[in-house]
Amino acid sequence: MTLDQAYVNQIFLPATYAGGVPYGIFRELRATAPVWWVEEPAVGEWPSGPGYWAVLRHGDVKHVLRNPAVFSSQSGATQIRDPDTAADLEFARAMMLNQDPPDHSRLRRIVAGAFTPRALGELAAGIERHAADAVREVRARGEADFVGLVADLPVRTLAWIMGVPEQDRQLLQDWANRVIGYQDADYAHSGTAGPAGLSDIGRAALAHRPTARTTADGRPVNPRSRAALADMFAYAHALAERPRPGSMLARMREGGLDTAEFETMFFLFAVAGNETVRNALPGGVLALLSHPEQYRLLCDRPELVPSAVEEMLRYWPPVVDFRRTAAQDVELGGRLIRRGEKVVVYHASANRDETVFPDPDRFDVTRTPNDHVSLGFGPHFCVGAQLARLQMTAMLRRVLAELPGLALVPGAAPDRLVSNFQNGLKHLQVRWQPRS
């Protein structure tokens, strides 16, 4: 089968994802060839790029992710778009996410202690309490935006882990919106946190909030650059002067990070630490309510919640794709990939690979085994994976127990995030049988 290049390019265009992940296109591409060349046409003010190889099958995605010596995270960082300048690339390379072993391993060891079974056990009670509070607050209403219901849980959890004062957690939400949702007009310039109620360092950080949206040469400001996140980094440095003992910030200070490593580690946890639960749980609940027989089964058998969480992650992966760069000439899926070319693994496609997942488009809370790649694979497997599972499990159990008869509100279509990177919802209206 020969597919038109413009058709293939749809998997790159952010506007495609406003209507949902293009699983039909992924299916056609997987059936035709495991690796495809995708162009990077200009998108609005964002210039065109050189193009990349899209990796779509489960086995090939795992192969790329487990071989950093061949498919590097550090050469060009991990976003499809190339950093705008050499300085932006150098800054991105200081982040653990954008490094290869052994540098990646060194940074990972510094923060891994925050995610041991013992550390997670100490967090569990607080997570359960926050989930209970969030559900109790809306229980009597009979209707709510499920995205809003869920959104504060990862932010509260991150604030505690990082040592961010409780009253400043809305800043974490704004920073995540601006980075994760930069392709979406509703999120690109998020600034919902006002001075009222913030700590003194929170109020001081607002003075550094960027107002310029373009560079001197007219290009959009890179949303992941120092310039675009000046308020976040000002806040991080101020907070580092008085870290809470035992917090992630204290670990970072004790780990001997240089300035760029410190800033990008704060960035990573403030933003990436938010996205898994914030995207996967609303999306997973949408999948659950779109399959009412699965919802009824889960209500009848709450012991299936852990496997339901895994199926939510598979069916609604919080991240669509990640980029690598070929460190050498290499053959993959019958294609010769040249050194320096971009290679983009599509988690969303791998999770629907027919050769791995029987009836992959069916949402099944009993699915086992469930070898999804939504939390990564290889050296970059998500360091906070168990924390994400803990939060999703706590919230899902509370929702099932206390919001009976959960259903989508008729006529209120889910509002999807416009992004070719994050698989998110901005709004999801649900209703239930209210009780006091």
Side-chain angles (χ1 to χ4, degrees), residues 84-107:
D84 293 334
T85 66
D88 283 347
L89 176 57
E90 191 64 25
F91 180 60
R93 284 173 170 166
M95 185 184 293
M96 182 174 70
L97 184 68
N98 299 325
Q99 292 190 349
D100 302 320
D103 292 332
H104 168 265
S105 306
R106 173 181 63 87
L107 293 178

Side-chain angles (χ1 to χ4, degrees), residues 63-76:
H63 176 73
V64 170
L65 294 177
R66 72 159 67 95
N67 287 288
V70 180
F71 302 100
S72 171
S73 297
Q74 190 157 350
S75 293

Side-chain angles (χ1 to χ4, degrees), residues 110-171:
I110 291 172
V111 299
F115 303 102
T116 63
R118 178 179 177 180
L120 293 177
E122 294 172 353
L123 283 170
I127 289 171
E128 293 284 353
R129 183 174 63 254
H130 293 323
D133 289 345
V135 172
R136 187 179 305 114
E137 184 177 326
V138 302
R139 188 171 54 192
R141 299 181 197 168
E143 185 174 323
D145 180 351
F146 195 83
V147 175
L149 172 62
V150 168
D152 201 42
L153 178 60
V155 172
R156 282 181 179 272
T157 304
L158 281 171
W160 173 253
I161 290 173
M162 297 173 69
V164 170
E166 179 79 3
Q167 65 264 41
D168 291 343
R169 66 183 188 275
Q170 191 58 36
L171 290 170

Side-chain angles (χ1 to χ4, degrees), residues 176-237:
N177 284 349
R178 281 157 46 190
V179 173
I180 288 172
Y182 78 92
Q183 295 170 328
D184 192 302
D186 290 340
Y187 282 177
H189 307 288
S190 183
T192 60
L198 293 178
S199 70
D200 57 336
I201 61 172
R203 290 191 298 274
L206 294 183
H208 299 273
R209 184 183 285 168
T211 55
R213 301 186 180 185
T214 57
T215 62
D217 58 3
R219 291 182 302 178
V221 173
N222 183 336
R224 295 174 174 84
S225 65
R226 269 199 175 107
L229 292 166
D231 52 338
M232 183 173 75
F233 296 134
Y235 182 89
H237 285 292

